[in-house]
Amino acid sequence: MGYAIQADGLAKRYGETRALDGVDLEVPQGRLLGVLGPNGAGKTTAVRILATLVRPDGGGARVSGFDVVRRAHQVRSLIGLTGRRSPRITFVSARTLRQFPTPTGLRPS
């Protein structure tokens, strides 16, 4: 089984502020990932990089094997992203997420 998300040494700066400083991450396919941490920990920056909305300053990341910088179009065709203040979703449990079909139309096992 491959990885849905891989990040190696992911880094991002905003001026003098290091938003990410060498983040490594491997998420196997078929796993549900929650990203938790205090304000300013880099959660949003990491998600924005993985969603191809921001370029990393260092390191690299792949989503389903596609590089988020060099193959951004392919990454965008595979993912969906909504903010926590989305008017359509106020709370989604893991049980509810399992009820949604995957992008390929198959249900998780």
Side-chain angles (χ1 to χ4, degrees), residues 9-10 30 34 36 38 50 58 62 68 70 78 85 100 106-107 109:
L10 208 54
L36 304 173
L50 294 170
R62 291 164 301 289
V68 297
R70 291 187 296 250
L78 295 171
R85 290 191 171 97
F100 289 103
L106 303 174
R107 295 242 181 234
S109 57

Side-chain angles (χ1 to χ4, degrees), residues 9 12-13 18 31 37-38 46 50-54 67 70 88 92 103 108-109:
K12 181 68 181 174
R13 293 182 75 97
R18 278 186 268 170
R31 294 284 173 95
L50 294 170
T52 74
L53 301 174
V54 174
D67 185 278
R70 291 187 296 250
R88 297 189 180 259
V92 177
S109 57

Side-chain angles (χ1 to χ4, degrees), residues 3-92:
Y3 292 102
I5 300 170
Q6 289 179 290
D8 303 301
L10 208 54
K12 181 68 181 174
R13 293 182 75 97
Y14 295 101
E16 294 298 314
T17 303
R18 278 186 268 170
L20 294 176
D21 190 15
V23 172
D24 297 324
L25 177 67
E26 290 184 337
V27 180
Q29 291 178 355
R31 294 284 173 95
L32 181 64
L33 172 69
V35 183
L36 304 173
N39 291 342
K43 303 175 300 292
T44 299
T45 300
V47 169
R48 290 174 59 89
I49 290 171
L50 294 170
T52 74
L53 301 174
V54 174
R55 286 179 161 242
D57 295 330
R62 291 164 301 289
V63 173
S64 292
F66 295 107
D67 185 278
V68 297
V69 174
R70 291 187 296 250
R71 306 289 297 273
H73 180 74
Q74 286 86 354
V75 172
R76 289 178 186 164
S77 74
L78 295 171
I79 66 170
L81 178 65
T82 184
R84 67 182 176 114
R85 290 191 171 97
S86 172
R88 297 189 180 259
I89 300 175
T90 56
F91 177 78
V92 177

